[in-house]
Amino acid sequence: MKSIPVSTTINGDPYEFLCAPDETLLDVLRNRLGLTGAKEGCGTGDCGACSVTLNGRLVCSCLVLGAEAGGAEITTIEGMADGDELHPLQRHFIDGAALQCGVCTPGILVAAKALLDKNPDPTDEELRYWLAGNLCRCTGYDKIIRAVQAAAAEMRGA
Amino acid sequence: MRYLAAKTAGEAAAALAAEPGLTRILAGGTDVLVQLKSGLVEPALIVDIKQIPGIAEIVAEDGGYRIGAAVPNAVLGEHAGVVAMWPGVVEGANLIGSTQVQGRCTMVGNLCNGSPAGDAVPGLIAANAVARIVGPNGQRDLPVADIPTGPGKTSLAKGEVITSVFLPARPARASDAYLRFIPRTEMDIAVASAAVSLELNADDTVKAARVVLGAVAPTVIVAEEAGRICVGSKLDEATLARMAAACEAVAKPIDDKRGTVAFRTKTAGTLAKRAALTAYTRAGGTK
Ligand SMILES: Cc1cc2nc3c(=O)[nH]c(=O)nc-3n(C[C@H](O)[C@H](O)[C@H](O)COP(=O)(O)OP(=O)(O)OC[C@H]3O[C@@H](n4cnc5c(N)ncnc54)[C@H](O)[C@@H]3O)c2cc1C
Ligand code: FES
Ligand code: FES
């Protein structure tokens, strides 16, 4: 297979890489660019562990080809903290013990941030529907919902 | 496998027509990438259509809307004009997958994937939507209803690419609705589904009705008789019971672990009744 050269922007920084035509964006991020925050849970769009944003939309990076990233703006979990300063969502996940094994956590954080960027004050129901594509085998979800709401409240200045 | 990001629909059609091996068109990729991952499908060529100018746009036309083939369903759901005119089409499209899948998946991909359980398809057929197709020999328009021919099969010829679907204008007192049954509330495949599109007369009786069923036959099907039964009524109990019976009569579902023949048949009728009542209320009808 012929490699495809791709130029893209990830977390505000320019990146260039070569990828195979059938290589997913998730594999590019993890195996070529060393951005291993996005996880592969299923590889088929069901679990959300690979969530990133592509041109402002939340997507599963396992369902995007690396070749499709040309000219796009991508954000991943690696872009969430500001240097050593954790994002409020990250802080509240730690404080609220909203993770156990942590495999789902990067995807859930990216997904939750995408919601709060659009709707700073979601109801629990809106939040649960928004996160329906992010599976967690450990926490039972309740602490995740509470941590996102606590972060949302802090971000609203409440 | 080769990957081509086509710059025009003509380029996409020519490349697909010239490839002797298996091909796939890449819209949102939410079916195509799952197929690639499974290893069951090994295309020689994938043609990404998202860079074709205008293909990701929604344009008002002749009082209706032309929806580009690469418009993600999340974007469709944010379009106030389409939501107001064709709420049932949009609710079907927006039921597909998760937030992540919505950011990518398209109605046309759902249609061309050819699943009889595709959630965007019944609403499009109830709406009498028309697909615009570009092929190696030029452009043609074809009703969406004529595209699915069986599970995983469509009537599109080799090299043909759908560039948009047109949702026609409708009178003020008209609306539609879509309902599916799944065993959970999110992220599952329809066991049975129904879309209903209605137009009302000034006296609140039904002027025209189109009832379409999903997941109960090898393709999405139009329940013609069920639609005729609604006409002239205000969807009273007796009419709805006859309409549901007419749906059951045309349902030819399969038995599998997700639902029995008897359950799917009955559910299709019940969903059609409920969707009809929702469409009636949305159209401004009062009993
Ligand atoms: C986690 C998950 C959940 C899902 N849930 C649902 C659900 O609830 N309901 C449901 O119905 N589906 C569901 N799906 C399936 C899928 O998301 C839908 O069928 C979706 O609408 C496909 O659209 P797409 O743009 O991603 O198609 P793609 O994967 O890009 O293409 C699908 C097929 O259509 C063909 N095609 C695409 N565009 C064109 C075109 N313009 N002209 C001609 N052929 C074309 C391709 O060759 C391919 O065969 C789910 C998938 C995933 C991964
Ligand atoms: S790895 Fe992408 S959704 Fe599970
Ligand atoms: S913390 Fe283990 S999957 Fe969510």
Side-chain angles (χ1 to χ4, degrees), chain A residues 118-147:
Chain A
K118 211 167 105 107
N119 177 1
D121 192 8
T123 63
D124 280 3
E125 192 181 0
E126 284 167 339
L127 180 52
R128 283 179 186 273
Y129 269 105
W130 182 270
L131 294 178
N134 290 89
L135 305 186
C136 174
R137 300 182 48 161
C138 302
T139 64
Y141 299 103
D142 223 61
K143 288 183 172 177
I144 293 175
I145 302 303
R146 275 185 271 155

Side-chain angles (χ1 to χ4, degrees), chain A residues 1 4 21-22 24 40 43-44 46 51 54 57-60 62-65 67-68 111 118 129-130 132-134, chain B residues 1-3 26-30 33-34 36-37 46 48 50 74-75 78 98-101 103-104 185-187:
Chain A
M1 280 195 238
I4 301 173
D22 61 354
T24 65
E40 177 168 89
T44 51
D46 296 291
S51 296
L54 178 68
R57 294 265 165 201
L58 185 68
V59 303
C60 296
C62 72
L63 294 185
V64 178
L65 291 176
E68 292 180 81
K118 211 167 105 107
Y129 269 105
W130 182 270
N134 290 89
Chain B
M1 188 187 107
R2 286 182 302 131
Y3 167 87
L26 187 63
T30 61
L33 267 86
V34 174
L36 290 182
K37 180 84 185 176
I46 287 203
D48 187 349
K50 291 188 290 295
V75 173
E78 290 162 10
S98 55
T99 313
Q100 286 87 339
V101 170
R104 298 278 289 169
T185 55
E186 267 284 87
M187 298 283 285

Side-chain angles (χ1 to χ4, degrees), chain A residues 44-45, chain B residues 25 27-32 49 97 106 109-110 112 118-119 162 180 188:
Chain A
T44 51
Chain B
I25 293 167
T30 61
D31 283 312
V32 168
I49 56 172
T106 65
N110 193 234
C112 295
D119 284 307
I162 297 180
R180 69 172 178 183
D188 208 343

